[in-house]
Amino acid sequence: MSVLPLVFSSPLMLAALVALPAIWWLLRLTPPKPVTEAFPPLRILASVLKREETPSKSPWWLTALRMLMAALVILAIADPVVNPKVGTLSAAGPLALIIDNGWATANDWERRVRTADALITEAESADLPVSLVLTADAENDGVPGTAAAARTRLAAAAPRPLRPDRTKAVTALRTGLGDTRPGTLAFISDGIASGDDTIMRDLAGLSPQSLRRIEGSGSDAIALTGAVNEADAMRITATRLDKAAPRTIALTAFDTRGRALSNGRITFAAGETTASGTLTAPFELRNDFARIGIDGFATAGSTYLLDDGFRRRRVALLSGEARDQSQPLLSPLYYINRALAPYADLVQPTETDLAVALPQLLEQKPSMVIMADIGRLPEDTTPAMTRWIQNGGTLVRFAGPRLAAAPADDPLVPVRLRQGERALGGTLSWSEPQPLAPYPATSPFAGMPRPQGITVNRQVLAEPTADLSQRTWASLADGTPLVTVRTLGAGRIVLFHVSAEATWSNLPISGDFVEMLRRVVQLSRSGGVTSEGGAAAQAALPPYRLMNADGTLVTETRGARPLETVAGSTPVSDSEHPPGLYGSEEGFVALNLLPRDATLRPIESTNLPMPYTSEALIGSEAWSLKPALFTAALILLLVDTLVVLAMAGTFARPNRLRTAHALLAIGMIGAAAVAISPRPASAQEAPQTPIQAQVQAQAQTQAPSTQRPFNDTRPGDTEILSHLDNTHLAYVVTGESEVDRISERGLAGLTEFLTYRTTLEPGAPVGLDIAKDELSFYSLIYWPISANAEMPSAAAISRIDAYMRAGGTVLFDTRDQLSSLSSASGTSPNAERLQAILADLDIPPLEPVPTDNVLTKSFYLLSSFPGRYSGSPLWIEAQPHNDGERSERPARSGDGVSPIMITGNDLAGAWATDENGAPLLPTVPPDEMQREYAFRSGVNIMMYMLTGNYKADQVHIPALLERLGQ
């Protein structure tokens, strides 16, 4: 039931409305005065016999106008009053008031107070006790008292930035009333259901004589429930209570100083309670957002606080392998890109040289750096990376062949690693792939579902230490760590003991991988410069800034308790933990009023055991409609007068002379405007500004040169084009004339052999200064190792490392029959120099060329790769294999080409010929067939470089053709 807030002070005057039909009849008989027209020949008409004329009836619309005027006068005399204060309280018991003072009452709190005060005043007039409880207060006394005491409590009440706890309030009211049955129970509600809200049924259970529900319109009940910092904008989610009509609200983002940074809109369609909108701003500006507010609303629900967790991080990605566009699924960064793109701003270097790329990335102040299978960093970059981590950066590393071959004392890994890796079929192997164990409670992954279907068949192992379990965020079922961490200064180093692509584990293609990376990103600090830990690392966070009912942050904590943070769970605001910021100035967590994706819905009030009346909040005061009705009647009277005058012809005689004068004046003004308007000057007549004159002079000066052909060449372009027109073999210039001469003649001899034996016709060999020359033009670089040559600089070695990472291959030749790469057996000076060079290169594990490798069959069928000597094996990147079966090796990026080859057989010495094609150096022992096989080795190496694993794939052609039915 509902009560209309409108009464008549003189309701008997409404009986005059029955006289409206009589008024209608009288008005129909009183038409307006006929129009009088002057006619000159009146004397002629005067002699005509006059006939008696009767007036015509009044027009219906004029009659209706006068009827409406009469009705307004009658209603005004009856004196209708809006928002009357009438005595409606039951005298059978005390007045019980339960008032919502939660977040949704902030906008119309004064009206709620006046409504409650009117009820208290009425109870005071009837000498009734009053019981008052507030649903958002922590403590309530529901014992009935005097009206004066209730008015005092009402004056001290204020809206709270909380959701109302109506169950607790009803319990306090029931306890205070005891066995007393309330006469009138008035519920001044905000209209919003709270959880499984049964408030109306609970109130009906108190058995009042009269149950009244009083609430506002609900149009101000709008709240923000979520914010997601997406790739190009921040998406805001909102919910509303009144969903009848479409509505658009305006949003504004503010920084910590209250300055507006961005604006946006959210549009609700008719019938929808939730909607979302975006705040578009650059990445750096969005990271300065501190709170989001709804324009025109000042409530705790219309304000959404943001902390460091909402800031979109910048993540730098580095890979130990070249990006292979033709095989993206094999790229170490492919799954990382897909997992982090919705949550972070990803940046990748434009340079393959880590000595150049890493400082460039750190200058962009990333929050996190991810390195996929990078074993060694350039020596000059390690201190910069260490300082970045100590200042708050997060380094995430993924294992791989290069990391497995890296030194065990690497300072940028969280735990000490064992050399090599653990794989199926190896000495440290499983009988079957290992699943993941449940995540530890101390891990940031805690709260995630237990991983199902994720297995690991290869990993790098950590050396057992006393604190290994404390550094472990995830582990396998057998207890070996999968993800480890170490704190370094204000930052941390995280290591995934598997590769970033799906060759070692199917973790990268699982949903857990996305969630794990997202949580690690959220742990990182924005900009990589803030102190580690902050608010997110503490277990209990003290209140720092709390929100009041108007959505403003204040320093007063009002006895709020510290916020307990539990990994994997989101805290919820309540009376002990009101919305606000918890932590300290160095770092804090934002606690908002409503949980993510909450919705506002009306209070359920159907199927109650007793009837109730539904009322609206009273206005500012009771006010009479009599003045408005009399004013409307007066306006209608003026309209009626104008109509009668118009029908009598008062306005039917326009002054034609005045009209002609007006038209003439308008024409003269228009002609004058056209006459005085400036006419456009031609190009010759327009005056030139100094800048225009200077531009014109430069154009005239340069006019003759524009007729010449455009030339955009740069110094060195001719040399570059000469190296691009054909395939060239390249060698490293050591500075020793004899070594360089043999290298040049050796590659010239191999070039001639390739020309006559294959369809490849390379150009002349090219000597390279690895510190200056462009290396990317050459697929293979031959490097003769000489202990007497000058040691390459760190920058030159870094350029070689970038060249290998970009897909190139370096063939190192110690020319001393090197048989092992270990320091124990590598006793020659050239071998020691090679070890010094390799110590600064990020290389994968090596192995002698297997018998089934594509190098043994890329052109010739070979079992060894001799040069001047035949005692040294040819070392290449070790290829992983499953269960010891080399025929079933997994696919690899880079087309399967090894980035490094090492031999000691002096290949260039065997290939070297003079101008007549005669060998320059003899083989050891002298054997021309060994020289022939040396040339064939060179051919196989070149074909391997140019075709990759193409030859190896040919073994699958019969099966593919059979499957295709050919």
Side-chain angles (χ1 to χ4, degrees):
M1 299 175 58
S2 62
V3 176
L4 183 65
L6 177 68
V7 298
F8 291 90
S9 300
S10 303
L12 295 179
M13 292 301 301
L14 296 178
L17 294 175
V18 299
L20 288 179
I23 298 175
W24 174 274
W25 182 75
L26 291 174
L27 291 176
R28 292 282 290 176
L29 297 180
T30 57
K33 181 182 178 181
V35 178
T36 302
E37 291 290 347
F39 192 65
L42 293 178
R43 295 180 180 178
I44 299 174
L45 297 179
S47 61
V48 179
L49 179 64
K50 295 182 179 180
R51 293 180 299 176
E52 183 180 357
E53 297 180 353
T54 59
S56 177
K57 295 181 179 180
S58 174
W60 69 267
W61 53 269
L62 183 59
T63 303
L65 180 66
R66 293 172 175 176
M67 290 285 292
L68 178 60
M69 182 169 55
L72 290 177
V73 172
I74 295 173
L75 291 176
I77 296 174
D79 192 12
V81 178
V82 179
N83 291 326
K85 296 181 180 180
V86 296
T88 57
L89 296 183
S90 172
L95 168 65
L97 280 176
I98 178 168
I99 304 175
D100 278 340
N101 63 329
W103 67 271
T105 63
N107 285 334
D108 57 356
W109 177 249
E110 295 300 326
R111 290 184 61 195
R112 297 175 184 275
V113 170
R114 284 194 293 270
T115 301
D117 184 69
L119 293 173
I120 294 174
T121 301
E122 189 176 347
E124 186 177 28
S125 301
D127 197 20
L128 295 175
V130 180
S131 177
L132 186 148
V133 294
L134 301 166
T135 59
D137 283 4
E139 300 293 336
N140 276 296
D141 184 6
V143 178
T146 64
R151 187 177 290 107
T152 301
R153 286 193 58 199
L154 180 64
R160 302 286 303 277
L162 300 170
R163 290 172 293 174
D165 188 352
R166 299 186 180 111
T167 301
K168 185 176 180 180
V170 171
T171 301
L173 183 62
R174 181 181 291 109
T175 302
L177 292 174
D179 297 334
T180 304
R181 183 180 178 185
T184 298
L185 197 160
F187 175 33
I188 303 179
S189 167
D190 59 15
I192 304 173
S194 178
D196 296 333
D197 210 336
T198 58
I199 177 64
M200 294 301 295
R201 188 171 298 276
D202 294 340
L203 295 179
L206 296 176
S207 303
Q209 293 290 338
S210 172
L211 178 59
R212 300 168 62 177
R213 175 178 167 182
I214 308 173
E215 65 184 30
S217 63
S219 59
D220 289 342
I222 301 179
L224 301 180
T225 58
V228 179
N229 204 349
E230 297 179 344
D232 54 354
M234 178 171 285
R235 181 164 296 278
I236 310 299
T237 306
T239 180
R240 63 172 179 168
L241 181 64
D242 186 5
K243 61 179 181 179
R247 185 171 187 178
T248 299
I249 59 175
L251 302 176
T252 302
F254 302 91
D255 63 3
T256 55
R257 297 183 180 181
R259 296 173 297 188
L261 299 181
S262 180
N263 298 98
R265 292 183 180 277
I266 295 180
T267 300
F268 292 91
E272 290 186 355
T273 58
T274 60
S276 62
T278 57
L279 291 169
T280 303
F283 163 74
E284 293 81 3
L285 196 61
R286 277 184 279 126
N287 278 354
D288 289 336
F289 290 178
R291 62 183 175 92
I292 312 296
I294 302 178
D295 296 352
F297 291 82
T299 67
S302 63
T303 302
Y304 200 85
L305 301 177
L306 304 175
D307 56 21
D308 192 59
F310 288 92
R311 297 183 179 180
R312 190 174 179 86
R313 272 57 167 178
R314 174 171 288 154
V315 179
L317 305 180
L318 290 171
S319 173
E321 292 187 5
R323 288 171 286 181
D324 192 344
Q325 301 297 335
S326 62
Q327 294 177 315
L329 297 181
L330 300 180
S331 171
L333 299 179
Y334 176 79
Y335 298 103
I336 298 176
N337 266 294
R338 299 293 296 272
L340 290 182
Y343 309 108
D345 182 47
L346 305 180
V347 293
Q348 297 189 42
T350 57
E351 298 285 342
T352 55
D353 187 352
L354 289 180
V356 179
L358 195 55
Q360 290 179 351
L361 291 178
L362 295 182
E363 288 178 359
Q364 300 184 46
K365 297 182 180 180
S367 302
M368 190 165 76
V369 173
I370 297 181
M371 298 195 308
D373 190 22
I374 294 180
R376 294 180 177 90
L377 287 177
E379 184 178 355
D380 295 342
T381 63
T382 301
M385 175 62 74
T386 303
R387 287 193 301 270
W388 176 80
I389 298 174
Q390 291 174 344
N391 287 337
T394 298
L395 173 63
V396 178
R397 304 188 67 174
F398 284 86
R402 288 174 174 79
L403 184 62
D409 58 348
D410 188 347
L412 296 180
V413 292
V415 293
R416 187 177 179 85
L417 301 178
R418 292 185 180 181
Q419 289 295 104
E421 69 257 7
R422 181 185 190 187
L424 294 176
T427 55
L428 297 173
S429 63
W430 307 284
S431 59
E432 59 183 13
Q434 287 291 302
L436 271 64
Y439 301 112
T442 57
S443 167
F445 310 144
M448 293 174 55
R450 179 169 181 170
Q452 300 291 335
I454 301 176
T455 57
V456 175
N457 52 31
R458 191 179 181 192
Q459 67 169 155
V460 292
L461 287 175
E463 293 285 357
T465 57
D467 60 345
L468 182 59
S469 60
Q470 299 175 3
R471 297 186 180 185
T472 302
W473 280 358
S475 60
L476 303 182
D478 62 356
T480 55
L482 177 67
V483 182
T484 54
V485 65
R486 175 169 67 96
T487 300
L488 182 62
R492 58 171 62 87
I493 303 173
V494 181
L495 173 64
F496 284 75
H497 291 240
V498 293
S499 62
E501 23 76 32
T503 55
W504 287 25
S505 168
N506 61 354
L507 175 65
I509 59 177
S510 67
D512 283 45
F513 186 73
V514 177
E515 182 63 17
M516 292 167 78
L517 285 182
R518 189 188 69 83
R519 295 195 179 196
V520 174
V521 168
Q522 292 300 317
L523 288 178
S524 64
R525 307 300 294 172
S526 177
V529 293
T530 57
S531 61
E532 189 271 349
Q538 303 179 23
L541 308 177
Y544 171 56
R545 297 284 190 273
L546 296 183
M547 192 188 304
N548 61 17
D550 296 332
T552 305
L553 290 177
V554 295
T555 57
E556 183 183 358
T557 59
R558 298 188 296 272
R561 299 184 59 183
L563 181 66
E564 300 288 339
T565 58
V566 180
S569 64
T570 303
V572 180
S573 62
D574 53 28
S575 59
E576 294 182 346
H577 307 97
L581 304 177
Y582 289 80
S584 64
E585 185 177 0
E586 296 182 353
F588 48 78
V589 168
L591 179 63
N592 287 289
L593 174 72
L594 298 179
R596 182 178 296 273
D597 300 328
T599 57
L600 301 183
R601 53 188 179 85
I603 295 176
E604 180 65 34
S605 57
T606 59
N607 300 324
L608 297 182
M610 65 175 297
Y612 72 97
T613 60
S614 179
E615 308 172 25
L617 299 174
I618 67 172
S620 56
E621 295 291 343
W623 54 282
S624 173
L625 288 177
K626 181 189 292 185
L629 294 176
F630 274 128
T631 301
L634 179 61
I635 293 174
L636 292 181
L637 177 61
L638 294 176
V639 172
D640 181 85
T641 303
L642 293 176
V643 169
V644 171
L645 292 176
M647 296 180 66
T650 304
F651 307 113
R653 301 182 183 89
N655 193 329
R656 295 181 176 85
L657 182 59
R658 184 180 302 171
T659 303
H661 289 170
L663 292 176
L664 180 59
I666 293 174
M668 293 177 64
I669 294 174
V674 173
I676 65 175
S677 62
R679 75 189 155 88
S682 62
Q684 291 78 9
E685 296 173 351
Q688 290 185 331
T689 63
I691 296 178
Q692 292 173 333
Q694 182 181 359
V695 172
Q696 182 177 0
Q698 292 178 356
Q700 293 175 355
T701 302
Q702 298 175 359
S705 63
T706 57
Q707 298 177 359
R708 296 195 300 266
F710 180 72
N711 185 8
D712 62 347
T713 59
R714 298 180 180 180
D717 286 358
T718 304
E719 182 181 356
I720 291 175
L721 292 175
S722 66
H723 293 165
L724 292 177
D725 63 349
N726 200 351
T727 301
H728 294 266
L729 307 184
Y731 64 94
V732 175
V733 176
T734 63
E736 294 189 53
S737 59
E738 183 61 21
V739 174
D740 295 341
R741 186 180 71 88
I742 295 299
S743 297
E744 191 274 334
R745 295 312 307 165
L747 295 187
L750 180 60
T751 297
E752 185 177 359
F753 191 89
L754 287 167
T755 302
Y756 283 99
R757 296 292 183 93
T758 70
T759 57
L760 177 63
E761 299 181 2
V766 178
L768 297 177
D769 182 354
I770 59 175
K772 300 178 181 179
D773 294 336
E774 179 59 50
L775 308 180
S776 60
F777 300 146
Y778 314 100
S779 58
L780 177 69
I781 297 177
Y782 176 76
W783 190 337
I785 303 299
S786 174
N788 298 325
E790 184 179 355
M791 180 67 183
S793 64
I797 294 179
S798 180
R799 296 183 81 241
I800 286 291
D801 185 69
Y803 165 78
M804 296 167 60
R805 185 174 289 106
T809 297
V810 179
L811 173 56
F812 294 94
D813 194 343
T814 60
R815 303 173 294 118
D816 58 359
Q817 301 189 71
L818 174 70
S819 60
S820 175
L821 296 178
S822 65
S823 59
S825 58
T827 56
S828 71
N830 287 356
E832 293 176 356
R833 173 57 61 86
L834 175 63
Q835 292 171 5
I837 294 174
L838 296 182
D840 294 329
L841 289 176
D842 185 17
I843 60 174
L846 304 177
E847 66 176 355
V849 176
T851 57
D852 63 341
N853 191 276
V854 68
L855 263 171
T856 64
K857 52 192 174 184
S858 59
F859 195 84
Y860 294 103
L861 296 178
L862 299 176
S863 58
S864 62
F865 298 86
R868 285 189 64 212
Y869 312 104
S870 60
S872 174
L874 179 62
W875 296 81
I876 63 172
E877 178 184 2
Q879 299 185 20
H881 49 82
N882 300 327
D883 300 328
E885 297 293 335
R886 295 184 181 272
S887 61
E888 297 296 334
R889 292 175 177 175
R892 299 165 55 235
S893 61
D895 211 18
V897 176
S898 173
I900 183 173
M901 298 182 187
I902 300 176
T903 185
N905 287 334
D906 192 8
L907 292 176
W911 299 335
T913 59
D914 59 16
E915 300 296 338
N916 298 322
L920 292 179
L921 299 174
T923 61
V924 181
D927 184 359
E928 288 305 312
M929 285 304 300
Q930 181 175 325
R931 191 183 305 279
E932 173 69 19
Y933 278 106
F935 276 111
R936 293 184 180 184
S937 299
V939 172
N940 274 27
I941 290 174
M942 283 304 302
M943 294 301 169
Y944 168 72
M945 290 304 306
L946 298 176
T947 63
N949 55 15
Y950 165 76
K951 294 288 185 177
D953 292 340
Q954 302 307 299
V955 299
H956 302 292
I957 287 182
L960 293 175
L961 294 178
E962 181 181 356
R963 186 170 297 180
L964 293 173
Q966 299 181 7

